[in-house]
């Protein structure tokens, strides 16, 4: 019987070539999308699961409120780890991490002295690799990080420094340290599914600030991981109970540290402050911590896992709908077969079996093609999604079972409606007379499904347009300064006293329009602290009167170099003694409540209560991506010595044109000052662009899937159009004999479909509008969801649909009427 | 064998009922060969469909092999005709996707007959109707008369106890028609197969043991030959 099912199915498949091709290619595209997205989602879900005892590893998060400022961080003060372990038997061990700045590394390779900037350095406690078991290829996991002057390299880093020679026991000199570091172990290159990424490990013992702030409960720069005892980790309630014991411990341990910074604990609590520790499973760090601040890694977002899964589901659904539609469209023919089979003694179950076998056969073919597509297009998809997905992941036992399951589910989805619909027909209603059979229900159902397909496609088109519109907006919005043609020379702090001479040298270059030295630049290295502004007379604002201000320390050339615009007052100037001056932005003035800020003062409690007088107000400018609102911001003058910064930049405005020559000229200047130091530079517009990498990836992935869903929907429409034209050949012939023009016929055939597509567009509008408004919430500055986007999307959908249909309608209209009548 | 009691069939057309069959009662004994005649549109096919349980009457009682058909569920009904009835349609109703061979074979598949046995039976039937040469052709490649022969062969293959035939010779030439009638007579005489046929031909009707005349949905007359 089964064999018979497949024989008939095969016969149907080969006989109706057009609808088979449409069905199979649609299903193949759908399945390929599911496989791609499945690989992507599987990859996203497998972060940080490779450690030994992964389920016992937790990160300590800090949920704090101090003054007006609230934060949730993946960072803790340095003593937290030890305090947790000493006070709670549930905690087996802890380890901490710290991200030092970039280091220049001097080394010898093949007898040649060289230097490189290492940007991916991580300082860790000695037991780090025992808790987070990144696999070693050489060295001893228990001792490799013991010494102050030990480093552990990944294979990639070892190759970078020492080529193919064995790195074990070799030495590297790090810029900030006099004693060389010895390579004590080599790590296998980190899996891409590791949230933490680093190339070089050194011991926290060797980091001065970590030692200096060992007492502090407010220095929030360290990451702390703990390993729970096995019985605790397996019991969710136990973890909750453990967390509930933290506050008592914190108030006891942190009190003296809080006293020391002039914030007695009791008063801190009374003012509404809190300082709560929480445990978060390490396996959740990648997808469930986008709300937790950290500078150790860029977390993913579970939201995109959901969105992509939904898209995959919709595309496979669209392909299944094609199958349903084409099967039921052909039901006049199939119904006759069903009727005869019933009369010949077939039970309904057997008929359902037959239709399901057919659907299964189609899906099987489609799956083979889908696997082919995936294996060919995976490199392209990797590039698109910035992943390193491996086709091998599809051939594990689980994956194969999953694919089989997918085929079966798809077959059931695609085949069940035709199967149950057709087999429920009564034979006599089909076989009476000449076997002509009307299927009014099928007609309504088909129309509904076509509307659904085009609704989904149009929603995706609108979403894609808006994502791109927003990306374009991020690039063209007035940021309050001019980011084009700005080159940043990094590591300027290494120039020390000669930075200013270097700047003067640069100004002498014909390609350089201006240059400035600053501790930070937009996108990088702002420093935030609390200030107490003077109250304007008559302002009786009660309560806490602090303001959190981010700032750079700059020279007088900063504002002109970046083209900042002063709204009132003046820029810093060598003509004044500006060491006690500050320039603030509009937002700062607004938040403080100053109507006339010039001449007002603010006190800096973190800097010996020094006072600064406002000399100018600058128009708001974006220091961060457009995801964030412009925050209150200040510029201090270079002579103010308000706070020290380990980093500084020389920012150069250059003439557009031959960038390579300009870069070479600047580099040669750098080399005259710093012959041993690598020259590192970047462009400000590129730095800004890189803030939207994730958004750009989403945009690209979105547009590809939109294209595919539209393709699938159009394939279905094409199938229906072909079928309709076929069914109406005789009618068309008669009409033409009676004098209908080709246009009449084309209109007649296209009208009904276009009606469906228009309904779909109308349905798509509110859905897309809602979804995109939600997505745009992520941006503080957003492009308007304009009406033209909807018209454009509707236009695209209509044109593509019309093209698809008219192709077939015109063909039908052009057929010689005598021929078609004769054939009937 | 089968018995219809006060069977009516009507269609609702804009408020009033149009009767296709009006209070028809009919008994057919095992071994009878009944010919149904009547003008076009008089309800012959409808009557045959009801007898064959393909159609349900609007009113009345229907017994087949002592089973009350009007009380049976669809599944039980299909089991009944699967076991006892062979159908020959006015419009042939072959399955377009299947070859001649497969069309004839299909009822055997539904009776779970082994493949080797099926082969023998089908070969036998192809021989009997002299269509061996056509066995791999599809219905569309056959003439109307050839399709009718395949339809008859398909109805006979399961050796049914009852054959219901709706104008089985309508598309055959008179020689072929005679052969089919001879075959029916032989099946009726030798194998005791009950046959009910609808026909427009007086001559073919004479092959039967009883001729029933249908007029306007009523049995107008019935005479034994
Ligand atoms: N679905 C329906 N709705 C309304 N009337 C119907 C329907 N089906 C059949 N009829 C009517 O029932 C009547 C009997 O039809 P039937 O097919 O039984 O005639 P017949 O005697 O077999 O005719 P012929 O000799 O032409 O085959 C016809 O008048 C037909 O119009
Ligand atoms: Mg008839």
């Amino acid at each position: 019987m089964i064999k018979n099912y497949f024989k008939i199915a095969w016969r149907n498949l080969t006989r109706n070539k057009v609808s088979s091709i449409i069905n199979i290619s649609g299903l193949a595209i759908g399945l390929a999308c599911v496989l791609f997205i499945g690989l992507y989602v599987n990859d996203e879900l497998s972060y940080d699961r490779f450690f030994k005892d992964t389920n016992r590893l937790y990160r300590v998060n800090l949920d704090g409120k101090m003054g007006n400022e609230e934060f949730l961080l993946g960072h803790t003060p340095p003593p937290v780890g030890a305090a947790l372990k000493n006070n709670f038997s549930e905690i087996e061990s802890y380890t901490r991490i710290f991200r030092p700045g970039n280091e220049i590394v001097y080394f010898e390779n093949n007898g040649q002295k060289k230097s490189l900037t290492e940007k991916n350095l991580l300082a860790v406690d000695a037991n780090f690799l025992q808790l987070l078991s990144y696999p070693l290829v050489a060295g001893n996991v228990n001792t490799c990080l013991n010494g102050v002057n030990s480093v552990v390299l990944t294979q990639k880093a070892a190759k970078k420094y020492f080529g193919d020679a064995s790195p074990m026991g070799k030495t590297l000199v790090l810029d900030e340290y006099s004693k060389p570091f010895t390579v004590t172990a080599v790590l296998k290159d980190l899996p891409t599914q590791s949230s933490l990424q680093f190339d070089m490990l050194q011991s926290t013992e060797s980091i001065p600030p970590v030692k200096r702030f060992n007492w502090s409960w407010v220095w929030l720069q360290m990451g702390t991981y703990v390993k729970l005892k096995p019985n605790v980790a397996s019991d969710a309630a136990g973890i909750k109970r453990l967390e509930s014991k933290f506050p008592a411990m914190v108030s006891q341990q942190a009190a003296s540290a809080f006293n020391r910074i002039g914030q007695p604990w009791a008063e801190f609590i009374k003012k509404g402050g809190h300082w709560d520790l929480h445990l978060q499973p390490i396996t959740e760090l990648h997808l469930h911590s986008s709300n937790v601040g950290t500078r150790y890694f860029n977390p993913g977002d579970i939201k995109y896992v959901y969105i992509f899964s939904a898209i995959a589901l919709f595309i496979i659904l669209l392909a299944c709908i094609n199958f349903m539609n084409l099967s039921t469209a052909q039901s006049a023919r199939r119904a006759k077969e069903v009727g005869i089979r019933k009369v010949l003694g077939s039970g309904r179950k057997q008929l359902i079996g037959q239709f399901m076998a057919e659907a299964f056969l189609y899906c099987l073919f489609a799956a083979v093609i889908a696997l082919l597509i995936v294996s060919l297009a995976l490199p392209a998809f990797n590039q698109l999604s910035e992943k390193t997905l491996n086709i091998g992941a599809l051939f594990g036992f689980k994956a194969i079972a999953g694919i089989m399951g997918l085929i079966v589910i798809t077959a059931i989805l695609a085949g069940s409606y035709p199967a149950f619909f057709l087999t429920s027909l009564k034979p006599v209603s089909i076989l009476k007379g000449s076997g002509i059979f009307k299927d009014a229900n099928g007609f309504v159902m088909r129309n509904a499904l076509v509307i659904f397909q085009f609704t989904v496609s149009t929603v995706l088109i609108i979403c894609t347009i808006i994502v791109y519109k927003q990306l374009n907006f991020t690039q063209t919005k007035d940021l309050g300064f001019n980011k084009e043609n700005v080159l940043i020379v990094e590591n300027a702090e290494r120039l020390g006293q000669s930075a200013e001479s270097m700047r003067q040298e640069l100004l002498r270059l014909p390609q350089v329009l201006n240059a400035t030295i600053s501790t930070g630049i937009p996108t990088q290295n702002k420093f935030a602290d609390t200030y107490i502004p003077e109250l304007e007379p008559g302002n009786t604002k009660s309560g806490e009167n602090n303001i959190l201000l981010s700032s750079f320390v700059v020279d007088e050339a900063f504002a002109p170099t970046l083209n900042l615009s002063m709204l009132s007052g003046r820029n810093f100037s060598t003509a004044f003694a500006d060491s006690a001056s500050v320039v603030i932005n509009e937002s700062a003035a607004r938040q403080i409540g100053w109507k006339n800020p010039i001449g007002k003062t603010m006190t800096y409690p973190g800097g010996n209560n020094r006072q600064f007088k406002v000399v100018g107000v600058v128009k708001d400018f974006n220091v961060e991506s457009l995801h964030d609102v412009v925050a209150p911001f200040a510029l201090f003058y270079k002579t103010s010595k308000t706070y020290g910064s380990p980093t500084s930049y020389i920012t150069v405005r250059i003439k557009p044109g031959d960038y390579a020559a300009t870069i070479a000229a600047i580099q040669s200047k750098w080399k005259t000052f710093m012959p041993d130091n690598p020259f590192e530079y970047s462009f400000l517009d590129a730095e800004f662009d890189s803030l939207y990498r994730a958004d750009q990836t989403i945009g690209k992935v979105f547009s590809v899937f939109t294209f595919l869903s539209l393709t699938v929907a159009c394939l279905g429409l094409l199938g229906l159009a072909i079928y309709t034209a076929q069914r109406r050949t005789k009618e068309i012939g008669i009409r033409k004999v009676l004098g209908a023009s080709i246009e009449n016929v084309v209109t007649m055939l296209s009208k009904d479909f276009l009606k469906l597509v228009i309904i779909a567009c109308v349905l798509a509008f509110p859905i897309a509008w809602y979804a995109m408004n939600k997505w745009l919430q992520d941006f503080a500055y957003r492009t308007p969801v304009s009406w033209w986007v909807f018209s454009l999307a509707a236009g695209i959908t209509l044109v593509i649909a019309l093209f698809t249909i008219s192709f077939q309608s015109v063909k039908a209209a052009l057929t010689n009427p005598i021929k078609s009548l004769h054939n009937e | 064998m089968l018995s219809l009691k006060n069977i009516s069939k009507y269609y609702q057309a804009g408020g009033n009922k149009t009767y296709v069959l009006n209070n028809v009662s009919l008994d057919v004994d095992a071994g009878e060969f009944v010919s149904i005649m009547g003008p076009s549109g008089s309800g012959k096919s409808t009557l045959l469909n009801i007898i064959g349980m393909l159609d349900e009457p609007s009113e009345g009682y229907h017994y087949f092999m002592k089973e009350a058909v009007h009380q049976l569920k669809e599944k039980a009904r299909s089991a009944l005709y699967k076991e006892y009835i062979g159908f020959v349609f006015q419009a042939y109703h072959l399955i377009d996707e299947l070859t001649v061979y497969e069309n004839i074979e299909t009822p055997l598949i539904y009776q779970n007959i082994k493949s080797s046995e099926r082969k023998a039976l089908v070969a036998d039937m192809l021989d009997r109707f002299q269509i061996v040469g056509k066995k791999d052709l599809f219905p569309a490649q056959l003439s109307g008369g050839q399709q009718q022969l395949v339809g008859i062969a398909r109805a006979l293959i399961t050796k049914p106890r009852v054959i219901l035939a709706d104008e089985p010779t309508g598309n055959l030439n008179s020689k072929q028609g005679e052969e089919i009638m001879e075959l029916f007579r032989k099946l009726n005489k030798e194998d005791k197969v009950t046959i009910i046929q609808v026909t427009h031909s007086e001559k073919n009707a004479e092959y039967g043991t009883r001729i029933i005349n249908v007029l306007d949905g009523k049995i107008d007359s019935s005479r034994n030959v």
Side-chain angles (χ1 to χ4, degrees), chain B residues 18-195:
Chain B
T18 324
Y19 278 87
V20 176
L21 290 177
N22 199 345
N23 207 13
V24 171
S25 295
L26 174 69
D27 287 280
V28 178
D29 294 329
E32 270 197 278
F33 185 163
V34 181
S35 297
I36 302 175
M37 297 193 69
S40 197
S42 56
K44 305 181 295 294
S45 296
T46 308
L47 180 62
L48 201 68
N49 285 340
I50 288 174
I51 292 170
M53 293 173 266
L54 296 182
D55 208 352
E56 283 172 64
S58 313
E59 287 162 8
Y61 309 97
H62 178 192
Y63 301 90
F64 184 84
M65 308 284 291
K66 301 201 176 77
E67 299 259 19
V69 177
H70 52 271
Q71 288 170 347
L72 291 180
K73 292 248 167 58
E74 180 178 340
K75 215 170 175 174
R77 255 183 302 182
S78 68
L80 259 186
Y81 67 60
K82 180 166 156 182
E83 192 175 348
Y84 296 109
I85 299 179
F87 240 103
V88 180
F89 294 99
Q90 191 171 4
Y92 336 131
H93 288 323
L94 302 180
I95 299 177
D96 296 330
E97 283 71 29
L98 300 185
T99 60
V100 165
Y101 182 98
E102 289 160 349
N103 260 295
I104 298 175
E105 183 192 27
T106 303
L108 297 175
I109 294 175
Y110 291 130
Q111 297 202 342
N112 295 321
I113 290 171
K114 280 205 301 285
S115 134
S116 55
E117 207 174 322
R118 289 205 303 262
K119 255 187 207 150
L121 286 168
V122 177
D124 203 38
M125 204 49 89
L126 290 167
D127 251 0
R128 193 146 150 203
F129 286 86
Q130 290 159 24
I131 45 177
V132 181
K134 310 275 181 221
K135 75 177 170 56
D136 291 323
L137 297 183
F138 287 93
Q141 298 164 306
L142 300 179
S143 73
Q146 287 164 337
Q147 290 187 46
Q148 184 119 54
L149 285 181
V150 175
I152 295 167
R154 188 179 63 181
L156 298 185
I157 186 99
T158 53
K159 304 206 165 63
R161 300 274 296 278
V162 180
I163 292 176
L164 303 178
D166 199 346
E167 295 185 40
T169 59
N171 281 290
L172 301 181
N173 62 37
S174 55
K175 187 174 160 277
Q176 280 174 321
E178 252 169 61
E179 277 169 24
I180 295 296
M181 284 302 116
E182 286 299 335
L183 176 67
F184 275 13
R185 177 180 272 169
K186 199 170 137 227
L187 287 169
N188 178 248
K189 287 258 148 63
E190 293 174 11
D191 302 336
K192 303 281 176 258
V193 177
T194 310
I195 296 175

Side-chain angles (χ1 to χ4, degrees), chain A residues 412-551:
Chain A
I412 290 173
L413 216 61
S416 53
Y417 174 66
F420 284 92
F421 168 69
L422 286 171
T423 57
S424 67
L425 300 170
K426 288 239 160 61
V428 71
S429 64
I430 309 165
L431 298 179
K432 206 154 58 175
S434 63
I436 283 179
F437 138 84
K438 285 244 168 4
D439 95 271
N441 287 338
F443 183 71
V444 172
M445 178 81 176
R446 257 194 316 280
N447 287 352
L449 291 176
V450 169
I451 291 174
F452 175 77
Q453 285 184 310
F454 277 88
T455 305
V456 170
S457 302
T458 312
V459 167
L460 284 174
I461 293 176
I462 296 173
C463 292
T464 308
I465 297 176
I466 291 183
V467 168
Y468 275 97
K469 191 163 173 263
Q470 175 67 19
L471 287 174
N472 185 50
F473 176 76
T474 61
Q475 269 157 9
T476 54
K477 179 186 181 285
D478 176 17
L479 298 174
F481 66 95
N482 182 351
K483 68 177 166 26
E484 311 299 325
N485 299 311
V486 175
L487 183 141
I488 299 152
V489 179
E490 281 161 35
N491 309 323
E493 70 281 0
R494 289 178 197 150
L495 291 158
Q497 295 305 315
S498 45
E500 181 57 24
S501 330
M502 165 89 180
R503 188 176 84 91
Q504 294 299 338
E505 284 293 313
L506 291 178
L507 283 173
R508 219 163 288 153
L509 291 171
Q511 302 98 320
V512 170
L513 296 170
N514 213 338
T516 174
I517 303 171
S518 60
T519 60
I521 46 164
T523 72
Q524 267 162 59
N525 210 42
K526 62 174 177 140
F527 178 84
D529 216 331
T530 313
Y531 297 79
I532 303 172
E534 150 194 9
L535 280 184
E536 210 159 44
N539 184 345
T540 49
K541 207 173 88 183
S542 57
E544 198 78 10
N545 191 32
N546 313 346
I547 179 164
L548 185 77
L549 271 180
S550 299
S551 65

Side-chain angles (χ1 to χ4, degrees), chain A residues 371-444:
Chain A
L371 281 172
L372 215 70
I373 295 175
V374 171
S375 56
L376 291 176
L378 195 60
F381 182 75
N382 275 335
Q383 210 171 16
L384 196 74
S385 62
E386 307 201 324
K387 290 247 169 224
T388 47
L389 304 173
N390 194 330
I391 188 81
L394 286 180
F395 295 102
F397 172 74
K398 260 199 198 150
I400 289 178
I403 293 171
M404 289 315 283
L406 183 64
I407 295 174
V408 170
I409 290 171
T410 311
I412 290 173
L413 216 61
S416 53
Y417 174 66
F420 284 92
F421 168 69
L422 286 171
T423 57
S424 67
L425 300 170
K426 288 239 160 61
V428 71
S429 64
I430 309 165
L431 298 179
K432 206 154 58 175
S434 63
I436 283 179
F437 138 84
K438 285 244 168 4
D439 95 271
N441 287 338
F443 183 71
V444 172

Side-chain angles (χ1 to χ4, degrees), chain A residues 73-180:
Chain A
L73 292 175
H75 298 170
T76 67
V80 163
L84 287 173
K85 177 165 187 312
N86 294 339
N87 286 284
F88 304 106
S89 60
E90 292 92 332
I91 290 170
E92 187 176 289
S93 55
Y94 75 95
T95 193
R96 299 171 309 161
I97 60 178
F98 175 79
R99 180 80 77 182
N102 299 349
E103 285 281 357
I104 302 183
V105 180
Y106 303 92
F107 59 101
E108 239 174 74
N109 184 1
N110 278 333
Q112 271 186 304
K113 280 188 188 295
K114 290 188 174 171
S115 67
L116 277 177
T117 305
E118 179 57 64
K119 295 187 168 176
N120 217 353
L121 194 60
L122 195 66
V124 298
D125 283 347
N127 64 347
F128 175 76
L129 290 171
Q130 290 160 40
L131 264 78
L132 281 77
S133 55
Y134 293 99
L136 252 59
V137 289
N140 181 328
V141 69
N142 296 320
T143 59
C144 61
L145 285 160
N146 274 353
V148 174
N149 284 82
S150 307
V151 285
V152 172
L153 301 179
T154 60
Q155 283 174 305
K156 192 175 77 185
K159 194 157 174 79
K160 182 169 81 177
Y161 290 114
F162 303 110
D164 293 328
S166 161
M168 292 292 288
K170 291 239 167 52
T171 57
L172 297 167
V173 175
L174 303 191
D175 194 40
E176 269 181 53
Y177 307 86
S178 44
K179 253 183 95 188

